[in-house]
Amino acid sequence: MAAADAPAASFLLKLTLIFAACVLLSPASGKAANQTLHPGSELRKWRRIDSYLKRVNKPAVRSIVSPDGDVIDCVGTHLQPAFDHPLLKGHKPLEAPEWPKGGSFSADGVQERLQTWAESGESCPPGTVPIRRTTEQDILRSSSLKRFGRKRPARNLRRDSTSTSHEHAVLFVNQEQYYGAQASLNVWTPSVTDEAEFSLSQIWVISGSFGNDLNTIEAGWQVSPELYGDNCPRFFTYWTSDAYQTTGCYNLLCSGFVQINNKIAIGAAISPRSSNCGTQYDIGLMIWKDPKHGHWWLQFGSGLLVGYWPSFLFNKLRDHATMIQFGGEVVNTRPSGHHTSTQMGSGEFAREGFGKAAYFRNVQVVDGDNSLVPPKNLHQLADHSNCYDVRQGENDAWGTFFYYGGPGRNVKCP
């Protein structure tokens, strides 16, 4: 059977199994007559999953099997999920924007081997973008198809987040108007102890209150067994314009973000990674608002333009951000009634410093003049400093920097 027929064959197999179960477990069969079976609801479930997979997995010009098992589809730029959005019908990807002044990035960039799928020098052909293929298994790990690819609509970023399952160790600024941010952050493989939890390190660009009008743009790396099915750190993006309720998603799992780069796959594993007392590997990230068109652009690595979030996706972020946040976040589901052992960053506290603790360096914000400047009036926040903490510093080599993270559960974090 041809590979292209695999999804259809899988769906037909599900129908066959549902029909067989219906026959074998029916009262007429004389077996398991007291067992409740709902073949109709099962059929509807698989139809919805099949329909979603057909919608999100676009036709590929070429498919690349990554050493870690991911399938990266090279999809025509004009066929990517962004253009399913009604306001992007007929839209053509924009050219490179005006870069912030004072940045060390080049619009041309260089080809970097930042991801596992591209370790052998692989990339997608010009005119295509690499998209990690979504599978049935990805969806079945989620609590529901409706919530797949979305953060739970908890109050993820409230300053009273000690009352939620989301815990942070971050630096933030919130006293001016902001038009972007940049930093370099090193990549680790923190242990995540429960499939429903995650550990991430990212930049947040935020506007609105922390109610239903919260707008955020987010990018960084994360370990999320539920979303990806493994414990690898992966480059990710996120956006929402209503506090994670109905808008936005991770990566390219809904229409919105427009990708232009053929070498970076959002959602793919990052390689190589930092190790304790070993070589440290970091990635550069910059998010900024193009002064000409008003869209929010994303840069990854050394000058690699990934793409942009169109300004019309947002209401509060259409003009500027009111808060920038840098750092780590974990979900604590309190398995077995105690604090999770899910690690943040490297799993070491900030005091361990270089080679052991995770860090952000060259932390900057973009001002109204489209210039990168050191952030003023930085605030530190660690929701539970005995579990995860943060420590700021500054020097000539790294500019504004900080260490952050921790092991989660320990004798002081029960």
Side-chain angles (χ1 to χ4, degrees), residues 11 68 105 134 143 157 193 217 221 229 232 260 267 275 331 339 350 382 388 397:
F11 180 59
D68 59 9
F105 304 111
T134 302
S143 59
L157 298 174
T193 58
I217 292 173
W221 61 264
C232 296
I260 66 167
S275 59
V331 170
H339 194 284
Y388 316 103

Side-chain angles (χ1 to χ4, degrees), residues 99 105-112 261 299-305:
W99 288 70
F105 304 111
S106 163
D108 295 330
V110 294
Q111 183 170 353
E112 297 180 336
N261 193 287
Q299 169 269 328
F300 178 65
S302 298
L304 291 172
L305 275 176

Side-chain angles (χ1 to χ4, degrees), residues 76 109 161 262 267 307 408 414:
S161 56
N262 68 329

Side-chain angles (χ1 to χ4, degrees), residues 64 66-67 72 115-119 122-124 130 262-265 268:
I64 300 168
S66 172
I72 306 299
Q115 296 188 299
T116 303
W117 74 277
E119 282 180 344
E122 294 274 17
S123 66
C124 283
N262 68 329
K263 299 180 178 69
I264 299 297

Side-chain angles (χ1 to χ4, degrees), residues 51-80:
S51 175
Y52 176 84
L53 289 173
K54 287 178 178 177
R55 186 169 68 252
V56 74
N57 290 326
K58 305 298 185 181
V61 171
R62 179 188 177 204
S63 295
I64 300 168
V65 179
S66 172
D68 59 9
D70 280 355
V71 177
I72 306 299
D73 289 326
C74 300
V75 175
T77 304
H78 63 291
L79 295 177
Q80 64 181 292

Side-chain angles (χ1 to χ4, degrees), residues 94 180 240 357:
L94 298 174
T240 181

Side-chain angles (χ1 to χ4, degrees), residues 53-251:
L53 289 173
K54 287 178 178 177
R55 186 169 68 252
V56 74
N57 290 326
K58 305 298 185 181
V61 171
R62 179 188 177 204
S63 295
I64 300 168
V65 179
S66 172
D68 59 9
D70 280 355
V71 177
I72 306 299
D73 289 326
C74 300
V75 175
T77 304
H78 63 291
L79 295 177
Q80 64 181 292
F83 299 126
D84 292 339
H85 196 291
L87 294 180
L88 283 173
K89 294 293 185 183
H91 177 89
K92 293 183 179 179
L94 298 174
E95 298 297 323
E98 179 184 341
W99 288 70
K101 294 182 282 289
S104 57
F105 304 111
S106 163
D108 295 330
V110 294
Q111 183 170 353
E112 297 180 336
R113 296 178 183 176
L114 297 168
Q115 296 188 299
T116 303
W117 74 277
E119 282 180 344
S120 62
E122 294 274 17
S123 66
C124 283
T128 69
V129 294
I131 301 179
R132 179 183 180 270
R133 185 182 298 177
T134 302
T135 67
E136 288 178 357
Q137 289 71 31
D138 292 334
I139 296 172
L140 292 174
R141 286 191 302 270
S142 179
S143 59
S144 69
L145 179 58
K146 183 179 179 180
R147 295 307 311 169
F148 174 67
R150 301 178 187 272
K151 288 188 177 182
R152 291 176 175 84
R155 294 173 181 175
N156 296 58
L157 298 174
R158 284 185 67 91
R159 296 278 67 83
D160 64 350
S161 56
T162 51
S163 65
T164 78
S165 61
H166 293 255
E167 298 186 21
H168 304 83
V170 298
L171 262 59
F172 69 93
V173 288
N174 64 346
Q175 296 177 357
E176 299 179 24
Q177 295 180 357
Y178 307 100
Y179 296 84
Q182 80 155 22
S184 293
L185 49 157
N186 65 339
V187 181
W188 294 84
T189 309
S191 172
V192 176
T193 58
D194 188 278
E195 189 176 85
E197 298 179 341
F198 64 64
S199 179
L200 60 76
S201 300
Q202 69 172 44
I203 297 172
W204 289 262
V205 176
I206 305 168
S207 192
S209 68
F210 289 94
N212 293 339
D213 67 346
L214 181 69
N215 286 208
T216 76
I217 292 173
E218 307 168 29
W221 61 264
Q222 70 175 161
V223 174
S224 177
E226 181 180 88
L227 187 58
Y228 304 106
D230 59 25
N231 287 281
C232 296
R234 293 169 176 272
F235 172 49
F236 82 97
T237 63
Y238 201 93
W239 69 273
T240 181
S241 60
D242 64 353
Y244 308 98
Q245 294 182 95
T246 61
T247 62
C249 61
Y250 280 110
N251 308 329

